[in-house]
Amino acid sequence: MGTRECGHICGESSPGIGEAGKTGEWRDSRPVIDEAKCTPVRRNKPACFLCWLYCPDAVVSKTVPVRIDMEYCKGCGICAEVCPVHAIAMVEEDNSRS
Amino acid sequence: MSADYFSDSRPYEVRWHGRGGQGAVTAARTLAQAAHLGGLGGATASPSFGAERRGAPVSASTRISPEPIMVVSQIESPDMVVVLDQTLLKDDEVIGGLGSGGWLVVNTARPPDRLGVIGDFSVATADATAICRELGVMVGGLIVVNTAMLGAVARVSELVALANIEEVIRRRFSNRSAELNLAAIEKTYRTTLIERRP
Amino acid sequence: MKANSKKQDASQMLDGNRAAALGAKLCRVQVVAAYPITPQTPVTEALSEIVERGELQAQYVTVESEHSAMAVCSSASLVGARTFTATSSHGLAYMHEMLHWVAGTRLPVVLACVNRAIGAPWNVLNDLQDSMSQRDTGWIQMYARNNQEILDQIIQAYRIAEKAYLPVMVCYDGYTLSHTDMPVDVPSQDAVDGFLPPYKAHTILDPTNPKNYNLVTLANPRLNAEGVLCHGYMEIRYLLQEALEKSKEAIASVGREFGDLFGRSYASLLWEDMMEGAEIAIVATGGLAMEAIVAAEMLRRDGIRAGVIGLRVFRPFPRADVLRALQGCRLAVVFDRSISYGNEGTACSETKAALYGTGTNMRVHGFIVGLGGRDVKARELAGAVKRTLSLTDRGALNSESPEWVCEI
Ligand code: SF4
Ligand code: SF4
């Protein structure tokens, strides 16, 4: 069975979770949120969410508390860079696994 | 080898010479339109290609045939050369390729025998400039002889009927300028002087 | 024009550019994006006036370049609009990148290419180097020999494009057609509406059903989020080639149907004149294929059985048709107004390639003529054929490289 079955005649795709593949496999360090510092958690209401806004893979939830989908988080570290209160630390995968 | 190659069915070819702004292209187009209106299956008209500037010598061409025209190359041996400005006759290229049986039609006050052009083609002259001045056929203060000269063309060639030329003019111009142009065409037609050479 | 309002003649005196604009109008194009360039400019002027007068319900998008013109056509086509543009020479070259994008996205954009030489040096007159240099972009290319064929092929182009989901370039000679008046039968709007149904996009960019187009596509196929195996880059390009090959059928069937409706058949991808019993074939493209008929008539009068093959469709290249048409010929003389520098005339290589593997003894000889508006007369074509023929008969013909008809 070839690729004809997909029915597309050009480079077409529908936006959806995992459309770009399992990008979680790209990760060599993971973002870890310190909830004690994270603004929405501290105030217990929706606020800030800059990490949600800037995440290029759209894997950060806009919830209290903020959650990151590790299956697709590629570990780019942008969330850690933009967090105004430095609540996110990038932790090497090997360390966090042990 | 050129002449023997042409069959009798080759189109009738008219080359127009004028100066940029004198309307040689419009005249070429009007003649083709009149031929088309007259039911001839083939009629084409084109400007000389490239840059055109006011006052600079320009040419245009009309091809007429009962059959659709296949030729797209430039005219080499015209059957008729129409000159809108007699000063252009200084350039030998203007009558280039015009052979016996052909017609040279010139806007000039001179009669054919005093034109000083040597060749074995017939010559017709008309003072379209004087006619247009008298009638007031002008655009932006300049005398425009291109339509008037169509009268001289109709006079020497039976290919395109005067009535069809007039109909094209009627369709193209508003009432007032159509009247002026028609008057100029008719007067030019009547006053054209002809010298036939075998 | 006043003439039109007075009397709606079916046959009108039109120059090529007006014929092209009228063709687009009759096809009820919805978006026009074009940038003026000599000798295409009157097409853009005519269409902008037609839109301005409200005779055509279309968006006329003024752009700052040809690259943008094609980008606008691409986007408009993707949201379901029938689109048209026109250009020449350097404008087409500037569009080059977008031509690839449009073909790869399989968008049925129609482009009128008013053929003009390309620099350097600067030249505004006719040859075919501009469109021939775009032959590998995945566009269908059709060539017109006269203004009737410009109008007719633009109308057919939309049917073909929207059937095959391929963009179509309708090419015609700058000046010798674009600026030359000749009689053109203009079909009625009703007749064209009957021939050309409204455009149905293969896919429509729509916020309520979001889609991605032309994301980075890797070499290999991949499973998408729903677990469906999707094309890699190569599969998508394969489909483009397959569509072009298949489009030959669509071009012929649309051309036949056009003939049934309008009385002028385009059922063949070639024009064949006097090929019956011909032993010499003159092969040419565009207006030159018309002038070549006059040359063939001259040769016939001299007892040389010549005929003319006009390449109406150049992409997809009608290999099988060329082979069939050349059956029984011993010599094909190809006149090209474009060249693949370092090799030979564009149509000449294609003709030779079509014959490959057939075991034919036929000779194919190429001439380069008419570049940058150099006039090409029928008697010159006939003379070149005669020279080639006498060299062939003496076994002295060398067709390794093309012969240039110029005064170097
Ligand atoms: S910004 Fe980068 S590191 Fe942070 S959640 Fe998104 S993908 Fe992961
Ligand atoms: S950017 Fe920092 S503070 Fe803001 S929501 Fe994300 S983790 Fe919390």
Side-chain angles (χ1 to χ4, degrees):
Chain A
M1 204 183 81
T3 57
R4 231 184 256 283
E5 311 294 320
C6 73
H8 303 149
I9 61 168
C10 65
E12 179 189 328
S13 58
S14 304
I17 291 167
E19 186 55 34
K22 286 263 191 289
T23 43
E25 289 164 8
W26 303 4
R27 201 171 58 237
D28 63 1
S29 55
R30 65 165 62 209
V32 176
I33 303 176
D34 181 351
E35 294 193 349
K37 288 184 186 168
C38 173
T39 309
V41 178
R42 277 180 42 227
R43 293 197 196 155
N44 195 28
K45 61 176 187 184
C48 181
F49 294 135
L50 281 179
C51 49
W52 165 82
L53 183 65
Y54 280 95
C55 173
D57 272 8
V59 297
V60 182
S61 73
K62 202 179 171 186
T63 54
V64 186
V66 172
R67 294 272 180 251
I68 296 174
D69 184 342
M70 283 303 161
E71 217 173 331
Y72 296 109
C73 163
K74 64 185 173 190
C76 67
I78 288 174
C79 51
E81 280 296 319
V82 298
C83 176
V85 296
H86 306 289
I88 304 179
M90 296 305 290
V91 181
E92 264 188 56
E93 278 293 357
D94 279 353
N95 297 346
S96 58
R97 194 174 289 161
S98 61
Chain B
M1 78 178 148
S2 62
D4 14 339
Y5 267 128
F6 289 121
S7 74
D8 297 327
S9 66
R10 78 176 192 88
Y12 190 85
E13 298 181 320
V14 182
R15 194 172 62 213
W16 300 79
H17 292 270
R19 294 188 180 278
Q22 284 184 324
V25 179
T26 308
R29 294 200 145 135
T30 306
L31 186 63
Q33 265 167 15
H36 178 241
L37 190 68
L40 288 167
T44 62
S46 38
S48 58
F49 305 135
E52 280 171 36
R53 294 171 209 87
R54 182 166 284 269
V58 296
S59 69
S61 61
T62 307
R63 283 188 168 104
I64 296 168
S65 167
E67 301 300 321
I69 288 164
M70 305 292 203
V71 191
V72 292
S73 57
Q74 283 157 38
I75 290 181
E76 208 173 15
S77 339
D79 298 281
M80 182 187 287
V81 167
V82 189
V83 182
L84 301 182
D85 186 324
Q86 64 164 353
T87 59
L88 291 168
L89 280 172
K90 279 185 297 199
D91 183 354
D92 286 342
E93 277 189 16
V94 166
I95 55 166
L98 191 60
S100 67
W103 277 99
L104 174 66
V105 184
V106 187
N107 167 31
T108 174
R110 297 183 192 188
D113 58 348
R114 295 205 34 237
L115 208 54
V117 180
I118 299 155
D120 50 2
F121 40 79
S122 303
V123 180
T125 62
D127 196 355
T129 305
I131 292 167
C132 291
R133 181 187 296 120
E134 181 199 316
L135 291 167
V137 184
M138 303 208 201
V139 174
L142 290 173
I143 297 167
V144 181
V145 298
N146 61 343
T147 44
M149 285 304 285
L150 286 160
V153 171
R155 177 73 183 277
V156 299
S157 165
E158 277 130 39
L159 262 172
V160 178
L162 185 64
N164 287 331
I165 293 174
E166 291 175 338
E167 177 59 17
V168 173
I169 299 295
R170 257 181 233 111
R171 290 181 186 192
R172 168 155 330 139
F173 292 99
S174 65
N175 285 349
R176 164 108 186 98
S177 42
E179 263 168 48
L180 278 180
N181 278 286
L182 289 174
I185 288 175
E186 264 157 63
K187 185 150 189 198
T188 311
Y189 181 88
R190 268 191 290 113
T191 56
T192 297
L193 302 172
I194 285 172
E195 184 181 295
R196 275 180 204 277
R197 291 180 198 160
Chain C
M1 259 166 68
K2 201 160 167 270
N4 291 355
S5 57
K6 249 190 186 172
K7 191 178 161 204
Q8 197 74 47
D9 276 342
S11 175
Q12 295 178 24
M13 290 293 283
L14 292 176
D15 65 25
N17 283 334
R18 281 207 67 88
L22 212 52
K25 180 195 170 209
L26 285 167
C27 290
R28 297 188 188 276
V29 297
Q30 294 158 301
V31 172
V32 180
Y35 190 82
I37 181 168
T38 301
Q40 157 266 32
T41 305
V43 182
T44 62
E45 289 172 348
L47 273 169
S48 64
E49 284 165 20
I50 286 168
V51 173
E52 179 74 19
R53 285 197 300 265
E55 291 169 19
L56 178 67
Q57 294 307 306
Q59 291 279 323
Y60 189 100
V61 186
T62 49
V63 284
E64 89 297 347
S65 77
E66 288 84 0
H67 189 279
S68 304
M70 192 47 73
V72 168
C73 288
S74 159
S75 323
S77 189
L78 208 47
V79 296
R82 184 172 284 160
T83 61
F84 180 76
T85 187
T87 190
S88 294
S89 185
H90 294 264
L92 189 66
Y94 194 18
M95 252 181 207
H96 175 76
E97 183 201 359
M98 293 313 298
L99 295 179
H100 279 291
W101 279 101
V102 165
T105 317
R106 305 288 299 279
L107 300 172
V109 174
V110 172
L111 179 156
C113 175
V114 191
N115 288 119
R116 164 186 153 182
I118 201 149
W122 209 241
N123 182 293
V124 297
L125 301 174
N126 169 250
D127 67 35
L128 305 186
Q129 195 68 48
D130 53 356
S131 58
M132 287 299 180
S133 297
Q134 305 301 336
R135 66 174 186 186
D136 297 341
T137 53
W139 282 59
I140 290 175
Q141 283 196 354
M142 309 201 288
Y143 287 81
R145 298 175 304 172
N146 55 45
N147 298 351
Q148 184 72 60
E149 290 171 11
I150 298 171
L151 178 83
D152 291 352
Q153 290 191 111
I154 282 178
I155 295 170
Q156 291 167 61
Y158 282 103
R159 267 292 293 279
I160 296 160
E162 291 166 14
K163 195 167 171 176
Y165 291 118
L166 286 170
V168 180
M169 207 179 278
V170 177
C171 309
Y172 57 94
D173 298 341
Y175 289 107
T176 46
L177 295 184
S178 72
H179 284 61
T180 298
D181 285 14
M182 58 183 81
V184 177
D185 281 342
V186 181
S188 71
Q189 185 66 62
D190 282 351
V192 176
D193 288 346
F195 175 76
L196 182 66
Y199 167 43
K200 271 206 211 76
H202 65 77
T203 173
I204 289 189
L205 202 52
D206 176 359
T208 62
N209 176 25
K211 293 223 189 286
N212 300 315
Y213 289 96
N214 300 323
L215 295 179
V216 174
T217 304
L218 300 176
N220 294 328
R222 62 172 186 99
L223 291 172
N224 72 3
E226 289 95 48
V228 177
L229 189 67
C230 288
H231 308 305
Y233 178 84
M234 207 162 160
E235 284 74 20
I236 291 169
R237 303 308 286 190
Y238 175 90
L239 289 174
L240 178 57
Q241 161 71 1
E242 181 184 69
L244 271 144
E245 288 286 358
K246 274 195 188 157
S247 72
K248 290 176 190 171
E249 257 173 61
I251 295 167
S253 72
V254 167
R256 196 172 304 117
E257 197 184 318
F258 186 90
D260 293 343
L261 250 90
F262 300 97
R264 295 180 296 277
S265 179
Y266 292 75
S268 172
L269 276 63
L270 303 177
W271 299 116
E272 291 168 62
D273 288 280
M274 293 181 282
M275 284 304 293
E276 198 103 330
E279 54 164 358
I280 318 287
I282 302 176
V283 181
T285 315
L288 198 60
M290 199 83 147
E291 188 92 16
I293 297 172
V294 182
E297 282 168 354
M298 292 172 174
L299 290 163
R300 289 255 170 182
R301 278 197 291 279
D302 283 359
I304 297 166
R305 282 186 287 133
V308 179
I309 297 176
L311 299 171
R312 177 169 85 82
V313 178
F314 194 77
R315 279 291 179 274
F317 190 74
R319 286 187 295 267
D321 307 71
V322 169
L323 256 184
R324 183 200 30 78
L326 285 174
Q327 286 287 317
C329 290
R330 63 187 180 104
L331 172 68
V333 184
V334 188
F335 292 97
D336 269 300
R337 283 176 292 162
S338 64
I339 176 168
S340 177
Y341 285 95
N343 192 23
E344 58 187 345
T346 324
C348 187
S349 341
E350 308 270 354
T351 307
K352 284 180 177 173
L355 291 166
Y356 178 76
T358 59
T360 177
N361 290 322
M362 191 194 311
R363 301 303 306 267
V364 179
H365 191 65
F367 284 92
I368 304 297
V369 297
L371 301 191
R374 183 75 60 95
D375 200 28
V376 188
K377 296 191 193 307
R379 65 172 172 78
E380 293 170 327
L381 297 175
V385 170
K386 278 185 160 181
R387 267 202 327 278
T388 310
L389 194 57
S390 95
L391 284 169
T392 311
D393 289 342
R394 282 184 282 134
L397 184 70
N398 179 356
S399 298
E400 274 296 298
S401 40
E403 223 175 290
W404 284 61
V405 180
C406 69
E407 290 170 30
I408 198 87

